[in-house]
Amino acid sequence: MADSTHPEKTAVKELIMRFAPAAAALSLVFAVTASIGQAQDRDAHPRAAMLIAEGKAALDAGQPQRAIDSFEAALAVDPAYTPVFLYLAEASRREGLQGKAIRLYREALAREPENLAAISGEGEALVEKGAVEKARGNLSRLETLCGTSCTETRQLAAAIARGPQPQVLRAEAVMPDTEISQN
């Protein structure tokens, strides 16, 4: 009965009850967005940074497997540092593991959907695997995000123009039949 004598209090309570859930949800969205943005701009853990430097040196020295080992160790140390996925994907591509590289680029894109290097790298790996049409989709996306003159767009366009590289047959791929015949 007290509420009927104070219509202002009733109106205020009703207003709060009506909009409080929406305000709470909106503030949560802003908090999550801010934390994601802050996480993307941070530096790698010092130990991970050291492992990344070792991996880059190995990659520059033409040792992609050693680079993969270093980058995977860096990922174990700092799994929230997205750029390590890009380094690991590049090393995997150089080792001829395009499927693994595509998966790593997609993980980076799940974390940062507009990461130009990840879009371009995934497109190049797709071309190397022979999926040129899918790579053209990546090129279209890059053109939308940064235009035709950005480095990533030009790199992917050049890779598409070169086309898929011929597959090199490794000794491990040709295993002799283990059939035993009797003389």
Side-chain angles (χ1 to χ4, degrees):
M1 293 271 157
D3 287 338
S4 63
T5 59
H6 298 289
E8 303 87 33
K9 286 185 181 180
T10 305
V12 170
K13 284 182 184 178
E14 186 178 310
L15 188 65
I16 290 172
M17 289 177 63
R18 180 175 291 170
F19 293 107
L26 191 58
S27 66
L28 180 62
V29 167
F30 285 131
V32 169
T33 304
S35 69
I36 288 171
Q38 190 175 23
Q40 292 171 357
D41 296 338
R42 70 173 185 81
D43 291 332
H45 182 278
R47 175 73 178 132
M50 186 180 79
L51 290 164
I52 289 169
E54 288 175 12
K56 286 179 179 180
L59 208 52
D60 291 342
Q63 301 171 331
Q65 186 55 53
R66 201 171 120 223
I68 288 171
D69 293 342
S70 293
F71 294 141
E72 285 178 343
L75 187 60
V77 171
D78 192 352
Y81 188 62
T82 303
V84 77
F85 286 94
L86 301 176
Y87 300 129
L88 185 53
E90 176 62 27
S92 297
R93 281 182 49 213
R94 289 195 193 177
E95 188 64 12
L97 304 170
Q98 278 66 27
K100 179 178 180 179
I102 290 167
R103 182 179 54 77
L104 291 162
Y105 285 125
R106 288 183 179 161
E107 176 64 30
L109 286 169
R111 294 162 177 245
E112 297 177 17
E114 294 184 357
N115 186 312
L116 301 179
I119 296 168
S120 178
E122 180 193 32
E124 290 181 51
L126 286 166
V127 168
E128 292 163 1
K129 236 177 133 54
V132 178
E133 285 308 310
K134 288 184 179 181
R136 284 193 176 103
N138 284 39
L139 180 61
S140 175
R141 186 170 173 204
L142 281 171
E143 289 171 345
T144 300
L145 290 172
C146 69
T148 57
S149 62
C150 76
T151 304
E152 291 83 1
T153 303
R154 288 194 317 264
Q155 286 176 338
L156 181 53
I160 291 171
R162 283 190 306 271
Q165 300 303 310
Q167 296 292 324
V168 176
L169 192 58
R170 296 181 180 190
E172 296 86 20
V174 183
M175 297 297 294
D177 290 337
T178 57
E179 188 176 312
I180 300 175
S181 62
Q182 230 175 4
N183 290 346

